[in-house]
């Protein structure tokens, strides 16, 4: 009998953080996750830089840094159509796990993964990250962007699992916001934001569980945005109360984050039920989320500004056959997830992958196989060719989402600005990724190019100065800082720290320490500055002062790996071997890529006589710092003690080679530190800040008004709009109609339509020639397309959904045309969702004054409705008493019991 194939369920909870999870588990509020933790292995999951979700989740899926996988943020230049477009599956330059699995006959289902649209033709199913854009058009049925689902024949079947925000009821909302009924939604849009996040979360969960129930699978990957989006919207109101938050807002929204985690725990329960006990489950997050005293006071108004809320450690849980139970691992990183999953399937990892298999989570050490690169392996992998692109309409939908979340700027319709902004952001993010890897010379070239194009952007100046410092161009860094900032007055603390580091590198210790202390006083909640102060004391062998600084940093931030690393050095140099070992273990447990901590750990182990574990520590230090001679020097000593002479000689030789290399680099560094580059003129900091504000108008900024006001009659088709047009005409208003559509059996008195209004989105100038106060019949689908420079008085017609659906169906049958191709229940759902969505939008539209008129009540009590209309339109009506004269009770057909 063939062995049963392993199943792996990978669940991504964007933004989930142990800091929130642990207290909830302690109080019994996350029973499913608590059980998973008890039966498996857990750990922190160190994030990467920059902390942007599209880059991070593609590193999870590929095991590679962003410079290799090619997803460099949210949007990229659109070379085909101009402007920008969201990064997509076409943008990814390397194979993801599901592409590798396709080549190995492992069936994968992938749900909502970042940059998974258009869906790849893999062995299995894909529901792309554009699935939340599915619409239900009451006239045409389900509207699904091509490429959203693979295989495409399941589009209509899966579309019904889309949940719309207007379908939420009090049962959905009150567990999160108990007093939601007290919110004035015309003034407070936070409830609307909550509804959008909740419905998107439920859409992902519904389609994921549907596929798990109906499709066979070996590997399942599901990505949830909920915790991250709820946190961006409501973490400021989470206990403890922040000083800037009002008592009323705190009481209203303080339970949202707790509710988000509890709801995710309930969704997790269903996933585990469907997966079965024989499945290996990996639950992880790409970063944490600031809470308590470390929450930012505000969010920078810049692209990806919301990332300031992201914390450097996400969470990891692994549970399943062969995985250790009730254990904790240390030093895991996002890029380790992919190689670990390949190892679970017994597949080799690519030598070009930046991550490692988390072998310490396995009960039995697995065999680690390595090949040069999976990208060199032929086979049916399902990746798109470079010619496949996302359509312009699809790009617009995702771009609106990113603008709404604050991750990109709204450049309006200026395609040139869109393209330039996308190109700059991509290069900036790539530069930060390279700096994270220590590849500062490559990063410098990118940052200089950006700086020459936008010398007024403070964030670019800060990173360029930091890059100059890291690459050894100290005079250049000092010059750039001096020309750009007044260090005595600037609010940019980071630049003060960089200046201090430059001074310390140039051995100007007093000046360097002065500026570090200045930075510490300005931002006392920033413990990394205390780490740098500790580093200064350590370099000067002032061990007691260094120890105090590192401990002060840890008092503020107990999980600051660099502070633990600094303490390990202090303890090592002061003869406290066990304390040095403990601090080094704490450091690498939090952040694995710390070569100095691994070296210190190796030294403590060697001093304790544990040479085998010391060897592992020194080799790890060498892997993370390949140009550093110290690990090889210690490895030579270890192999001497173990009697492995040939290995000892090998590492001693390597140590000598690297010492010579270091001497060469010092010569180069000596040359670099005085080297200067030509830079453009730089405006003073206040001028730069003012320019940025002007360059970045808010999408809610007012537009120049035309002075015109139009009367719009709107509603769903067959809701009584034609009758209202007749009434307004009888009341003395001028009707905008071309009379192209003649009266018929469905509307015996005419339609009163203006055909050209359907072109309003493409031709907003159509209204320029229309007289002020004209009445225009506008179908509800077009209301959001009306030009913002005009004001509108909107009469929105209400009629029970059942009556509308029945009336539409009879009209379609009479005309012999095709309708929405929906079952009646789905049609009614579509009509209801659309109407609620439009009304929700109307409540926020500053240029639209709305009166809702019930068709049924109008027919039953015409005088009362007429009075409402007179009050709404006032002097615009010259003969209001004539309005009711056109009402014909016999035309109220398809009458049903009163409903919505």
């Amino acid at each position: 009998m063939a062995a049963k194939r392993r199943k792996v369920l990978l669940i991504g909870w964007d933004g989930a953080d142990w800091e929130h999870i642990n207290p909830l588990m302690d109080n019994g509020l996350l029973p499913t996750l608590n059980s998973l933790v008890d039966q498996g292995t857990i750990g922190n999951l160190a994030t990467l830089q920059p902390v942007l979700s599209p880059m991070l989740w593609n590193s999870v899926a590929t095991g590679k840094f962003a410079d290799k996988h090619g997803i460099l943020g949210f949007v990229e230049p659109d070379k085909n159509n101009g402007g920008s477009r969201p990064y997509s599956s076409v943008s990814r330059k390397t194979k993801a796990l599901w592409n590798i699995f396709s080549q190995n006959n492992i069936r994968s289902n992938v749900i909502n993964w970042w940059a998974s649209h258009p869906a790849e033709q893999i062995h299995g199913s894909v529901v792309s990250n554009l699935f939340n854009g599915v619409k239900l058009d009451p006239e045409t049925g389900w509207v699904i962007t091509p490429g959203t689902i693979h295989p495409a024949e399941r589009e209509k079947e899966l579309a019904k699992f889309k949940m719309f925000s207007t379908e939420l009821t009090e049962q959905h909302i009150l567990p999160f916001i108990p007093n939601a009924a007290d919110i004035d939604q015309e003034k407070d849009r936070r409830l609307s934001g909550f509804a959008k996040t909740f419905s998107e979360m439920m859409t992902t969960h519904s389609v994921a569980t549907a596929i798990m129930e109906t499709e066979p699978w070996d590997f399942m990957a599901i990505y949830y945005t909920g915790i991250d989006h709820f946190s961006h919207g409501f973490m400021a109101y989470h206990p403890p109360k922040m000083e800037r938050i009002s008592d009323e807002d705190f009481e209203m929204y303080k339970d949202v984050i707790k509710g988000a985690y509890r709801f995710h725990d309930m969704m997790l329960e269903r996933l585990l039920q469907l997966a079965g006990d024989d499945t290996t489950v990996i639950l992880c997050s790409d970063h944490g989320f600031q809470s308590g005293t470390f929450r930012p006071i505000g969010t920078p108004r810049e692209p990806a500004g919301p990332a300031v809320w992201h914390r450097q450690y996400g969470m990891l849980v692994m549970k399943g056959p062969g995985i250790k139970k009730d254990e904790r691992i240390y030093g895991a990183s996002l890029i380790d997830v992919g190689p670990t999953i390949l190892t679970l399937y017994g597949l080799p990892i690519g030598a070009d992958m930046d991550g490692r298999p988390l072998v310490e989570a396995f009960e039995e050490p697995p065999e680690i196989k390595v090949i040069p690169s999976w990208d060199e392996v032929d086979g049916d992998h399902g990746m798109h060719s470079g010619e496949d692109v996302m359509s312009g309409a699809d790009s617009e939908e995702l771009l609106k989402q990113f603008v709404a979340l604050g991750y990109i700027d709204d450049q309006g319709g200026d395609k040139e600005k869109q393209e330039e902004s996308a190109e700059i952001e991509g290069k900036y993010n790539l530069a930060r990724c390279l700096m994270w890897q220590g590849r500062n010379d490559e990063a410098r070239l990118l940052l200089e190019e950006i700086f020459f194009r936008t010398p007024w952007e403070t964030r670019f100046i800060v990173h360029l100065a930091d890059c100059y410092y890291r690459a050894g161009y100290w005079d250049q860094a000092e010059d750039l800082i001096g020309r750009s900032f007044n260090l005595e007055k600037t609010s940019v603390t980071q630049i003060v720290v960089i200046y201090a580091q430059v001074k310390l590198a140039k051995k100007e210790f007093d000046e360097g320490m002065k500026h570090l202390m200045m930075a510490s006083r300005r931002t006392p909640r920033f413990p990394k500055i205390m780490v740098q102060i500790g580093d200064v004391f350590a370099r000067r062998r002032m061990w007691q002062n260094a120890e105090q600084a590192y401990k002060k940093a840890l008092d503020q931030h107990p999980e600051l790996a660099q502070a633990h690393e600094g303490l390990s050095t202090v303890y090592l140099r002061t003869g406290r071997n066990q304390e040095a070992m403990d601090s080094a273990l704490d450091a690498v447990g939090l952040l694995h890529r710390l070569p100095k901590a691994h070296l210190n750990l190796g030294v403590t182990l060697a001093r304790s006589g544990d040479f085998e574990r010391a060897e592992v520590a020194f080799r790890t230090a060498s892997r993370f710092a390949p140009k550093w001679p110290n690990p090889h020097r210690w490895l030579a000593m270890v192999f001497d003690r173990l009697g492995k002479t040939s290995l000892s000689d090998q590492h001693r030789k390597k140590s000598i080679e690297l010492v010579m290399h270091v001497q060469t680099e010092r010569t180069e560094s000596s040359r670099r530190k005085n080297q200067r580059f030509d830079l453009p003129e730089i405006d003073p900091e206040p001028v730069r800040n003012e320019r940025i504000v002007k360059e970045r108008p808010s999408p809610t900024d007012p537009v120049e008004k035309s002075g015109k006001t139009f009367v719009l009659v709107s509603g769903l088709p067959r809701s009584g709009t034609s009758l209202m047009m007749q009434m307004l005409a009888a009341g003395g208003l001028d009707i905008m109609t071309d009379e192209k559509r003649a009266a018929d059996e469905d509307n015996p008195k005419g339609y009163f339509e203006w055909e050209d209004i359907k072109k309003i989105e493409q031709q907003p100038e159509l209204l320029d020639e229309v007289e002020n106060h004209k009445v225009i019949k506008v179908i509800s689908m077009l209301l959001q397309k009306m030009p913002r420079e005009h004001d509108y008085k909107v009469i929105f017609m209400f009629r029970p959904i059942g009556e509308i659906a029945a009336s539409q169906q009879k009209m379609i049958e009479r005309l012999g045309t095709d309708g929405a191709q929906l079952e009646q229940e789905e049609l009614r759902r579509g009509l209801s969702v659309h109407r609620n969505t439009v009304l929700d939008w109307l409540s926020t539209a500053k240029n639209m004054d709305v009166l809702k008129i019930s068709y049924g009540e109008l027919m039953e009590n015409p005088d009362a409705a007429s009075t409402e209309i007179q009050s709404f339109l006032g002097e615009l009506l010259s003969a209001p008493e004539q309005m009711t004269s056109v009402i014909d009770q016999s035309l109220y057909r398809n009458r049903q019991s009163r409903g919505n």
Side-chain angles (χ1 to χ4, degrees), residues 381-392:
H381 47 69
M383 289 183 73
H384 291 294
S385 68
E387 288 77 32
D388 298 320
V389 296
M390 186 183 293
S391 75

Side-chain angles (χ1 to χ4, degrees), residues 663-696:
Q663 290 174 345
T664 303
E665 283 198 335
R666 283 177 179 167
T667 303
E668 170 65 12
S669 176
S670 179
R671 180 189 67 80
R672 285 185 176 200
K673 68 182 181 182
N674 303 121
Q675 190 170 342
R676 302 292 182 95
F677 305 96
D678 291 331
L679 295 175
E681 290 297 319
I682 308 169
D683 290 332
E685 190 175 355
V687 176
R688 294 202 309 273
N689 292 340
E690 184 179 349
R691 178 168 183 177
I692 289 171
V693 171
K694 289 180 179 178
E695 288 283 326
R696 295 201 178 108

Side-chain angles (χ1 to χ4, degrees), residues 797-853:
M797 298 299 297
F798 257 73
R799 190 176 181 183
I801 292 295
E803 291 184 5
I804 291 175
S807 181
Q808 289 183 2
Q809 185 61 34
K810 287 187 177 180
M811 184 175 181
I812 289 169
E813 290 172 359
R814 188 187 66 77
L815 294 174
T817 56
D818 292 326
Q821 303 298 310
L822 292 172
E823 298 292 335
Q824 278 297 300
E825 183 178 348
E826 281 195 346
L827 176 60
R828 287 194 292 270
R829 181 190 176 202
L831 291 167
S832 179
V833 164
H834 168 73
R835 184 168 70 185
N836 290 339
T837 301
V838 171
L839 289 172
D840 187 54
W841 176 81
L842 280 172
S843 69
T844 67
K846 304 296 185 185
N847 61 334
M848 295 205 176
D849 190 14
V850 183
L851 172 66
K852 300 173 189 174
I853 294 291

Side-chain angles (χ1 to χ4, degrees), residues 77-83 85 386-390 415 419:
D78 186 344
K79 300 299 184 183
N80 296 312
N81 305 305
R85 65 186 182 200
E387 288 77 32
D388 298 320
V389 296
M390 186 183 293
K415 287 198 169 187
E419 184 170 348

Side-chain angles (χ1 to χ4, degrees), residues 15-20 47 49 51 227-228 230-232 234-240 242 244 257 261 287-298 306-313 525-528 556-557 559-560:
D17 195 319
W18 287 120
E19 282 195 353
H20 304 292
T47 192
Q49 292 293 332
V51 190
I227 290 175
D228 181 75
F230 280 129
S231 296
H232 278 298
F234 298 96
M235 186 60 75
Y237 313 104
H238 188 65
M242 296 178 73
R244 66 182 176 88
I257 302 302
Y261 276 97
H287 56 75
F289 214 93
Q290 297 290 3
S291 61
T293 59
F294 289 101
R295 284 175 287 186
I297 296 173
V308 72
W309 284 84
H310 296 167
R311 214 168 67 89
Q312 64 179 329
Y313 299 115
R525 296 190 313 145
F526 194 55
K528 287 185 178 180
Q556 298 180 53
H557 195 335
E559 292 188 337
L560 192 55

